[in-house]
Amino acid sequence: DVQLVESGGGLVQPGGSLRLSCAASGNTYSPYYMGWFRRAPGKEREGFAGIHTGGSTYYADSVKGRFTISQDNAKNTLYLQMNSLKPEDTGMYYCAADGGGPYGGIWFEPRRYNYWGQGTQVTVS
């Protein structure tokens, strides 16, 4: 099994920055995709950043140009650098590891992710 643990969330003022980390442990493997999801209050879970094992990165329009996803394979750690944060970025942030399935290149499809972290809260206020 694989365990994912997020860290780095907190309270930040609008315009500020945070860096989230997601450490993987256990029976680690090389998933096709790793993703960051968030759930804002009263809204559905949203996939907003993904990274392919080949290094390609993907972003939702809502975060493009402000957030950067990266990974350090030697450390089994996924990162999310968040800059120019806005109040609408507030929510619980989760990392997830791809389990495969018939989803092709749809990196933001939650059903393709078998492993999820417990989440870290980000509040922009």
Side-chain angles (χ1 to χ4, degrees):
D1 209 359
V2 175
Q3 294 79 45
L4 301 176
V5 179
E6 302 95 338
S7 60
L11 174 64
V12 64
Q13 293 183 344
S17 297
L18 283 174
R19 188 193 194 205
L20 305 185
S21 298
C22 170
S25 62
N27 188 18
T28 57
Y29 64 107
S30 296
Y32 284 122
Y33 291 96
M34 292 288 296
W36 284 101
F37 289 75
R38 65 186 179 187
R39 187 188 298 276
K43 294 186 178 181
E44 293 186 357
R45 181 175 48 185
E46 170 196 21
F48 63 89
I51 186 166
H52 187 264
T53 186
S56 297
T57 57
Y58 310 89
Y59 301 95
D61 289 343
S62 58
V63 306
K64 197 173 295 182
R66 300 188 298 123
F67 291 8
T68 302
I69 186 173
S70 62
Q71 60 186 7
D72 185 331
N73 292 326
K75 296 182 178 180
N76 288 325
T77 302
L78 181 72
Y79 300 101
L80 183 70
Q81 178 66 42
M82 304 187 294
N83 299 327
S84 302
L85 282 161
K86 304 175 181 180
E88 51 263 44
D89 293 317
T90 293
M92 187 68 76
Y93 282 62
Y94 303 90
C95 65
D98 182 17
Y103 304 109
I106 308 175
W107 58 269
F108 50 87
E109 170 56 61
R111 291 175 292 179
R112 76 177 305 140
Y113 293 91
N114 275 8
Y115 303 103
W116 294 81
Q118 83 291 348
T120 186
Q121 177 68 34
V122 172
T123 302
V124 184
S125 179

